[in-house]
């Protein structure tokens, strides 16, 4: 095929193809010479991959004068020496350079020994300053023909001239590269080609259909029926790309005869090939292969030895050789190894003669997957009126519909089930999923679809889980477990009402299904329908009294209802059944925290962490309990632990910000609040906290912006309004400040003294022209006087006297400040004391801070002014 076509149908191995091109490019452009051996059974796409790499290299301008390619024929039958290999290599180069062929003619006049040396020199001259890429397929056969002497001469040539890089293929690892004493031991980087998954096979077939402009087939392959048929081919192909390509033409066949007849013709063509391969085996190896062909499923060494009447050691030794030769493949499940035929079509072809006219068993199984049962029944009924030549087709239909024949159980099934459970217990969810996928391939049913979906939920792949659960439901609408897993997937995707409906469906099918009752409770809990959740948990516990998950979850719901003592009882019951159940310890800790028993909460959280150290929720809540006890430094450590585990936890970032702010670390606190808002921008508490931290740094403009964000989300929170007004006052944003003040006054709310203090302080510090003080003071007094709030303003004025006595404030400015207030409020009795204290503070400033000035005040007033001025000012 041309390079464009090869690219069009290429799947799965793009990363490998790119890596191979890069390695060869490095070999061509640097002294390093890298060699690769691709290993895969026949039909695994080795030639496709090699061809693709060849075309990509040919198209690279930077390699045009640096790389020479000699691509040997796929089957070089006549190579029996290194001289033969040299001649085949020169012949490959001569296809693009006719002068080489003339030079080769001279070699035939020499003795073999002289010709080999001359051929090596000729090849080296042809390469020149370039690098030779030698592409050699079926390297195992090539090395077998070379013999050890030929291999030694080849290795010597490659080392002597150091101007070659090799890309080779083989259906298996063989002694020539893996035996320690072999000339090429450790020479190649081996790359094992993996089989196609169902998804990759689907993409391959779609690519082929697109290439052939079969638009109807492209659409069909993406339908449920098309995907089912791909699985049927997988039953035969075992992930082998070549077999998928062979079956590409059969996929849309609606007629059973159109399917079976071409398939049987294919079997007829392939049978002699597989029979000839049996001739290369020893009698014991033939016996093993024959056994594996007769059995539908893989077998253990013990079973093979028993059935073939040989010792386990002999069976193991023979299987090792068969595996190396590419006849069988092994799969380790737990401690057991299961052996099966490497190429599924070999089982069919070798079984043809034994069937003696009976329908092929594997073909019958294939039909069960290929067609839905109702279609098989319809076709069987139609055959009643068909001509006699359809009789053989009718026998296939009869066998496919005969469920009594489907009793032969794959011995791997139980091993798969045990291995899935073991991996789930270890929380090794990736391994569990891989085994579940193999189980699904071995026994494709609604049960295995649900099990596969369940494993997907553990990995957080909820959309895929829902698709597989729905596929199981489509096959069996009354399978309660599939409805339950669908509910779990929907719950995790945030579709809570749909999840509850799915659980209800599961419970409707099986009312005593305790897992569905529990999961229903969890979802109701999330919706804050806690009383309903408790009822669901109680239902689960009536069915299964020792159901520790339900007891723990009920504790969580009880806490949410404020019934923390009951929650503690429920969690303790769960822990009596399963003392290492970290969720119960966590929920217990939350109940103690709600009761403000923080020491007990911390102890519960610590117990939870004994059994699950990587729970960010436990670390975060533990930090909250420590913070409540004033153990802020420890709380910060706990929050940081939570964030190491889950850097996206906005709650932990927010709590960390609060703790840092409490310690006066305002810059760090702001950074933490920003992180919280990055992950959840609508947390008004984080905006508020950020504003408070910004005020600590006197960054009032930024604080106002933060408070504005918080008020957009929660416009009714009064304390937030007060803090916003304080920041506005500090900014000298009088219009905005007065708006806040007017709202408070109109709503008959109490005035925040801190707001008034900030307002008065801002007047003094931010308005540079003393002439502007008097009108601002008048506006402020005018707003407050009608509400009888002048005493509060007087208190705020006294609290700002410390600004007056600062060394950075001139006596003239301080005097102007006193005069402005006296002009506006001098006749108001509410300001008699504040103005008296203001006068004394000014006198104290004028008489370089003589403490005896305080004696001007009556004794009952004498302690007020030093407190307002600060602790460094003491009365005499």
């Amino acid at each position: 095929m041309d390079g464009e076509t090869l690219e069009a149908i290429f799947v799965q191995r793009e990363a490998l193809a790119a890596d191979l091109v890069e390695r060869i490019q490095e070999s061509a452009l640097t002294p390093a010479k890298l060699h690769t051996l691709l290993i895969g059974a026949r039909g695994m796409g080795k030639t496709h991959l090699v061809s693709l790499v060849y075309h990509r290299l040919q198209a690279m301008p930077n390699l045009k004068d640096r790389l020479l390619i000699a691509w040997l024929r796929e089957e070089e039958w006549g190579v029996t020496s290194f001289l033969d290999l040299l001649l085949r290599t020169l012949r490959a180069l001569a296809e693009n350079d006719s002068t080489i062929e003339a030079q080769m003619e001279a070699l035939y006049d020499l003795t073999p020994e002289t010709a080999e040396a001359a051929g090596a020199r000729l090849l080296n001259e042809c390469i020149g300053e370039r690098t030779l890429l030698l592409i050699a397929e079926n390297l195992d056969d090539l090395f077998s023909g070379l013999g050890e002497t030929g291999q030694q001469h080849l290795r010597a040539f490659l080392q002597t001239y150091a101007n070659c890089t090799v890309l080779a293929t083989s259906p298996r690892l063989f002694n020539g590269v893996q035996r320690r004493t072999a000339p090429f031991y450790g020479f190649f980087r081996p790359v094992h080609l993996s089989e196609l998954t169902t998804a990759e096979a689907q993409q391959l077939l779609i690519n082929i259909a697109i290439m052939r402009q079969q638009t109807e087939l492209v659409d069909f392959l993406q339908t449920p029926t098309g995907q089912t048929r791909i699985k049927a081919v997988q039953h035969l192909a075992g992930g082998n790309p070549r077999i998928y390509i062979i079956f590409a033409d059969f996929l849309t066949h609606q007629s059973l005869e159109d399917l079976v007849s071409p398939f049987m013709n294919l079997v007829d063509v392939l049978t002699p090939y597989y029979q000839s391969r049996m001739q290369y085996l020893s009698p014991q190896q033939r016996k093993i292969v024959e056994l594996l062909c007769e059995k539908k499923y893989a077998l253990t060494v013990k079973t093979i030895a028993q059935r073939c009447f040989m010792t386990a050691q002999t069976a193991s030794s023979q299987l090792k050789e068969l595996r190396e030769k590419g006849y069988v493949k092994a799969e380790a499940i737990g401690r057991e190894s299961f052996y099966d035929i490497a190429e599924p079509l070999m089982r069919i072809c070798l079984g043809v003669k034994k069937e003696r006219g009976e329908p092929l068993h594997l073909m019958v199984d294939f039909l069960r997957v290929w067609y839905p049962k109702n279609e098989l029944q319809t076709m069987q009924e139609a055959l009643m009126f068909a001509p006699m030549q359809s009789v053989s087709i009718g026998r296939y239909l009869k066998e496919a519909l005969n469920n009594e024949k489907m009793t032969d159980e794959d011995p791997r099934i139980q091993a798969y089930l045990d291995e899935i459970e073991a991996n789930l217990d270890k929380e090794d969810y990736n391994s569990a999923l891989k085994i579940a996928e193999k189980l699904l391939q071995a026994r494709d049913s609604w049960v295995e679809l649900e099990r596969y979906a369940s494993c997907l939920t553990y990995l957080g792949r909820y959309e895929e889980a829902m698709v597989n659960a729905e596929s199981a439901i489509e096959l069996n609408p009354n399978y309660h477990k599939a409805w339950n897993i669908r509910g779990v997937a929907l719950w995790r995707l945030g579709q809570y009402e749909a999840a509850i409906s799915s659980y209800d469906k599961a419970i409707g099918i099986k009312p005593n299904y305790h897992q569905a009752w529990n999961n229903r409770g969890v979802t109701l809990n999330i919706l804050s329908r806690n009383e309903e959740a408790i009822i669901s948990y109680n239902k689960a516990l009536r069915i299964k009294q020792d159901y520790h998950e339900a007891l723990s979850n009920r504790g969580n719901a009880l806490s949410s209802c404020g019934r923390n003592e009951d929650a503690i009882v429920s969690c303790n019951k769960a822990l009596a059944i399963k003392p290492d159940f970290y969720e119960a310890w966590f929920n217990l800790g939350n109940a103690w925290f709600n009761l403000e028993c923080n020491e007990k909460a911390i102890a519960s959280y610590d117990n939870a962490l004994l059994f699950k150290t990587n729970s960010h929720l436990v670390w975060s809540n533990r930090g909250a309990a420590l913070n409540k006890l004033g153990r802020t430094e420890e709380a910060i450590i706990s929050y940081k632990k939570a964030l190491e585990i889950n850097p996206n936890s906005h709650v932990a970032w927010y709590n960390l910000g609060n703790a840092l702010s409490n310690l006066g670390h305002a810059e760090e606190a702001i950074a933490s609040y920003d992180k919280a808002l990055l992950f959840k921008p609508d947390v008004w508490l984080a905006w508020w906290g950020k504003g408070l931290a910004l005020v600590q740094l006197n960054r009032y403009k930024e604080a106002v912006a933060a408070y504005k964000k918080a008020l957009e989300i929660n416009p009714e929170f009064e304390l937030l309004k007060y803090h916003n007004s304080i920041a506005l006052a500090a900014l000298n944003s009088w219009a905005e400040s007065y708006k806040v003040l007017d709202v408070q006054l109109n709503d008959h709310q109490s005035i925040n003294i801190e707001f008034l203090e900030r307002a008065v302080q801002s007047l003094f510090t931010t308005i540079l022209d003393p002439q502007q003080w008097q009108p601002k003071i008048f506006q402020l007094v005018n707003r407050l006087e009608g509400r009888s709030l002048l005493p509060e303003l007087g208190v705020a004025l006294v609290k700002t006297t410390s600004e007056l006595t600062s060394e950075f404030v001139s006596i003239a400015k301080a005097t102007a400040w006193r005069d402005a207030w006296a002009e506006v409020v001098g006749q108001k009795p509410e300001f008699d004391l504040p103005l008296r204290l203001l006068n004394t503070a000014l006198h104290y400033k004028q008489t370089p801070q003589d403490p005896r000035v305080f004696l001007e005040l009556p004794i009952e007033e004498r302690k007020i002014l030093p407190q307002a001025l600060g602790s460094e000012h003491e009365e005499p």
Side-chain angles (χ1 to χ4, degrees):
M1 291 183 175
D2 60 85
E4 188 176 337
T5 304
L6 291 168
E7 294 282 2
I9 64 173
F10 191 54
V11 295
Q12 187 200 49
R13 296 172 182 143
E14 177 53 46
L16 175 57
D19 177 64
L20 291 173
V21 170
E22 186 178 336
R23 284 171 64 85
I24 294 167
Q25 188 174 16
E26 183 180 348
S27 297
L29 302 177
T30 72
K33 296 295 175 268
L34 308 174
H35 313 282
T36 304
L37 176 62
L38 303 174
I39 302 161
R42 289 169 177 80
M44 283 298 291
K46 300 186 296 297
T47 301
H48 186 165
L49 180 56
V50 166
S51 303
L52 194 78
V53 170
Y54 169 81
H55 286 290
R56 289 186 183 181
L57 292 169
Q58 289 282 70
M60 296 177 73
N62 65 327
L63 298 182
K64 186 176 181 180
D65 298 323
R66 302 297 299 274
L67 187 68
L68 191 63
I69 302 177
W71 189 354
L72 303 183
R73 294 171 183 171
E74 188 171 353
E75 305 290 352
E76 291 286 5
W77 299 111
V79 174
T80 60
S81 67
F82 178 51
L83 173 59
D84 290 334
L85 180 60
L86 285 170
L87 292 170
R88 300 305 169 91
T89 305
L90 288 165
R91 182 185 65 192
L93 293 176
E95 292 176 7
N96 296 312
D97 186 350
S98 57
T99 63
I100 295 175
E101 191 168 352
Q103 296 177 73
M104 286 174 61
E105 285 298 321
L107 297 176
Y108 295 108
D109 295 330
L110 307 174
T111 63
E113 293 78 8
T114 309
E116 183 176 296
R121 287 194 299 272
L122 175 58
L123 179 57
N124 185 50
E125 289 170 7
C126 292
I127 297 170
E129 297 299 319
R130 296 170 290 184
T131 293
L132 173 68
L133 168 61
L134 180 63
I135 301 176
E137 298 190 73
N138 296 314
L139 191 68
D140 54 333
D141 289 339
L142 189 66
F143 271 28
S144 177
L146 280 173
E148 188 144 345
T149 301
Q151 292 172 41
Q152 289 170 347
H153 288 187
L154 173 60
R155 182 68 187 263
F157 174 86
L158 295 173
Q159 287 179 320
T160 300
Y161 294 104
N163 56 4
C164 294
T165 182
V166 182
L167 176 60
T169 72
S170 173
R172 58 189 174 87
L173 275 175
F174 54 97
N175 287 337
V177 294
Q178 68 176 354
R179 193 180 70 242
R180 288 185 177 276
T181 57
F184 281 85
Y185 175 75
F187 181 81
F188 292 99
R189 180 191 69 157
V191 177
H192 293 268
L193 301 185
S194 57
E195 298 175 347
L196 294 180
T197 65
T198 304
E200 290 163 347
Q202 180 185 20
Q203 190 59 54
L204 171 64
L205 294 168
I206 288 172
N207 290 352
I208 292 169
I210 291 171
M211 181 191 71
R212 295 175 177 173
Q213 298 182 335
Q214 296 171 315
T215 54
E216 290 184 8
L217 179 56
V218 173
D219 295 337
F220 174 75
L221 288 169
Q222 297 176 77
T223 65
T225 303
Q227 292 172 19
T228 299
R229 291 192 174 179
I230 292 169
K231 288 182 180 179
V233 176
Q234 189 177 42
H235 191 60
L236 291 173
N240 188 304
R242 183 176 296 170
I243 299 175
Y244 281 109
I245 293 171
I246 290 170
F247 274 87
D249 290 330
F250 298 163
L251 287 168
T252 54
H253 287 187
Q254 297 302 313
S255 163
L256 183 59
E257 189 155 357
D258 286 346
L259 176 66
V260 174
S261 297
F263 180 79
M264 295 307 298
N265 291 336
L266 173 66
V267 170
D268 285 340
V269 171
L270 290 176
T271 297
Y273 163 71
Y274 284 116
Q275 287 175 335
S276 68
R277 288 190 63 195
M278 290 290 279
Q279 295 174 8
Y280 294 99
L281 302 179
S282 69
Q284 284 184 323
Q285 290 171 355
R286 289 179 194 171
K287 186 187 287 189
I288 291 172
V289 170
E290 188 177 34
L291 172 67
L292 292 174
C293 285
E294 288 175 356
K295 295 295 180 182
K296 283 173 58 177
Y297 307 117
L299 301 175
T300 62
V301 176
K302 180 181 177 182
T303 304
I304 291 169
Q306 183 184 45
R307 295 279 180 171
C308 293
F309 292 99
M310 60 180 68
T311 65
Q313 291 82 355
T314 301
S316 181
S317 173
Q318 297 299 325
L319 284 164
K320 182 174 181 292
E321 286 192 32
L322 286 168
R323 189 177 179 185
E324 290 172 355
K325 292 176 179 178
Y327 285 79
V328 303
K329 60 182 179 181
E331 179 184 2
I333 309 174
R335 297 181 179 179
E336 289 275 23
S337 289
F338 291 81
Y339 288 85
D340 199 1
I341 291 297
E343 299 178 50
L345 278 176
M346 186 175 189
R347 173 179 280 123
I348 298 174
C349 294
L350 294 182
V352 166
K353 302 300 182 184
K354 293 189 177 183
E355 299 291 346
R356 297 187 182 278
E358 293 295 317
L360 294 176
H361 288 164
L362 194 60
M363 186 62 191
V364 171
D365 292 340
F366 176 71
L367 293 177
R368 287 193 182 112
V369 183
W370 190 271
Y371 293 110
K373 187 176 181 180
N374 62 328
E375 283 191 34
L376 290 172
Q377 290 171 334
T378 302
M379 286 189 285
Q380 188 180 45
E381 291 168 4
L383 279 177
M384 294 172 62
F385 308 101
M388 289 299 294
Q389 61 263 33
S390 298
V391 171
S392 62
I393 303 300
R395 290 162 60 203
Y396 272 101
L397 285 170
K398 181 179 178 182
E399 289 293 323
L401 287 165
N402 189 350
N403 289 325
E404 294 178 4
K405 296 268 182 133
M406 299 176 66
T407 57
D408 189 10
E409 185 64 277
D410 188 338
R412 293 174 299 173
I413 298 299
Q414 191 56 50
Y416 282 142
L417 294 172
D418 293 342
E419 193 69 6
I420 289 171
E421 289 303 316
N423 283 310
L424 290 177
D425 287 343
K426 292 185 295 185
E427 297 185 5
D428 184 359
Y429 302 128
N430 280 307
S431 295
L433 181 68
K434 287 176 183 176
I435 302 295
E437 187 170 14
K438 290 181 179 180
L439 181 57
L440 183 58
Q441 291 171 2
R443 191 174 66 178
D444 190 359
S445 73
W446 56 83
V447 175
E448 308 317 333
L449 278 166
E450 181 274 331
R451 200 185 314 275
Y452 184 67
S454 179
C455 290
L456 286 167
T457 62
Y458 285 109
L459 289 167
R461 293 162 60 178
Y462 304 120
E463 290 181 352
E464 294 174 71
M466 188 169 68
V467 169
N468 280 275
E470 288 178 345
S471 295
I473 291 166
E474 188 176 343
L475 291 171
N476 183 359
N478 292 321
Y479 189 44
H480 58 285
K481 288 187 177 181
W483 284 107
N484 179 58
I485 285 298
R486 179 178 180 271
V488 172
L490 288 164
W491 154 45
R492 292 295 192 179
L493 290 169
Q495 299 179 43
Y496 303 123
E497 294 294 347
I500 292 169
S501 297
S502 205
Y503 297 136
D504 288 343
K505 194 77 175 177
I507 293 163
I509 297 165
K510 187 176 180 180
N512 64 342
Y513 187 24
H514 59 279
Q515 289 100 328
W517 281 113
N518 176 67
N519 291 339
R520 185 176 185 273
V522 170
T523 311
L524 288 163
N525 218 155
I526 292 170
L527 293 171
S528 299
R529 291 158 60 180
N530 299 305
E531 294 293 351
E532 292 177 74
I534 292 167
I535 293 169
S536 274
Y537 295 135
N538 286 339
K539 286 271 193 182
L541 289 165
R542 275 197 286 274
I543 298 163
K544 184 176 171 60
Q545 293 181 356
D546 61 348
Y547 191 12
H548 59 277
E549 288 99 333
L551 284 164
S552 173
N553 289 335
R554 186 177 68 176
N556 182 38
L558 287 164
S559 281
S560 300
C561 290
R563 296 162 58 184
N564 292 294
E565 290 85 353
D566 293 337
I568 290 167
V569 172
S570 197
C571 290
N572 280 328
K573 283 183 179 179
L575 291 166
I577 297 164
K578 190 172 173 59
D580 62 347
F581 188 37
Y582 94 94
E583 288 182 356
W585 283 113
F586 175 58
N587 290 333
L588 180 62
N590 292 342
W592 285 122
F593 179 81
N594 292 339
L595 290 171
E596 297 189 8
C597 300
N598 292 300
E599 292 286 3
K600 290 183 177 180
I602 293 165
S604 294
Y605 294 139
D606 286 343
N607 278 323
L609 292 169
L610 287 175
F611 305 113
K612 187 168 183 178
T613 58
N614 65 340
S615 171
H616 72 279
L617 291 172
V618 179
W619 282 110
S620 184
N621 287 15
R622 181 178 181 272
L626 287 162
N627 210 39
K628 286 273 189 178
L629 292 171
R631 293 157 61 179
T632 313
E633 295 283 4
E634 294 175 75
I636 288 172
I637 293 170
S638 207
Y639 293 138
K640 286 183 176 179
K641 280 280 191 183
L643 291 166
E644 283 175 14
I645 299 161
N646 182 11
N648 300 339
S649 172
H650 70 278
V651 174
W653 281 115
Y654 166 70
N655 286 333
L656 177 61
N658 287 346
L660 290 165
S661 187
N662 290 342
L663 290 177
H665 303 325
E667 291 283 5
E668 294 175 70
I670 291 165
S672 289
Y673 291 130
D674 282 341
K675 280 283 191 180
L677 293 165
L678 176 67
F679 299 118
K680 195 165 176 60
D682 61 347
V683 179
W684 69 272
L685 286 167
W687 286 111
W688 182 27
K690 181 181 178 180
L692 292 172
L694 287 163
V695 166
Q696 288 182 38
L697 298 170
N698 296 324
R699 290 158 60 180
Y700 298 110
K701 186 174 182 179
E702 294 170 77
V704 167
Y707 291 143
K708 183 180 178 182
K709 284 281 191 181
L711 285 164
E712 286 172 2
I713 301 164
N714 186 2
E716 303 304 323
F717 190 63
E718 298 305 329
L719 189 55
L720 176 56
K721 291 179 184 177
Y722 289 152
H723 286 139
N724 185 46
S725 64
I726 291 164
L728 287 167
L731 273 175
N732 194 23
S733 297
W734 293 103
E736 291 296 326
S737 279
Y738 286 146
K739 281 182 186 177
V740 174
L741 180 61
D742 289 341
V743 169
Q744 293 173 17
L745 293 172
N746 291 336
D747 292 346
H748 306 287
Q749 297 169 4
S750 59
I751 293 298
N752 186 341
I753 293 296
E754 189 180 357
F755 166 73
L756 292 177
E757 182 185 340
R758 290 281 187 180
V760 174
Q761 184 184 42
S762 180
L763 271 173
F764 183 68
T765 57
T766 61
I767 296 180
L768 300 178
D769 182 5
Q771 297 296 321
Q772 296 295 318
W773 282 338
Q774 191 171 321
K776 297 291 184 187
I777 294 168
F778 180 80
Q779 288 177 337
L780 191 58
V781 170
N782 191 45
R783 276 177 163 79
L784 297 173
E785 188 170 18
R787 302 290 184 180
S788 302
L789 292 171
L790 291 183
E792 283 81 354
L793 181 58
V795 172
L797 176 60
V798 173
K799 285 191 174 184
T800 60
T801 52
S802 60
E803 297 286 345
L804 206 69
T805 56
S806 168
E807 60 181 301
F808 300 107
V809 175
S810 68
I811 291 175
K813 182 177 180 180
T815 303
W817 175 252
R818 188 271 317 270
D819 293 346
W821 279 95
E823 184 68 29
V824 177
V825 298
Q827 303 303 315
K828 298 183 185 299
E830 295 91 345
F831 282 88
D832 287 347
L833 175 59
L835 286 174
R836 191 159 55 248
L837 293 172
L838 195 60
N839 278 321
T840 304
L842 180 59
H843 190 194
Y844 178 69
K845 182 178 179 67
Q846 291 168 335
T847 56
Q849 301 189 350
D850 184 351
R852 288 175 295 178
V853 170
F854 295 122
L855 297 175
E856 297 175 2
L857 296 170
I859 190 168
E860 64 273 12
E861 298 173 9
R862 203 172 294 158
K863 291 184 179 294
I864 299 174
L865 188 57
Q867 289 174 1
L869 294 174
S871 58
E872 72 276 10
H873 306 286
E874 296 182 4
E875 63 173 315

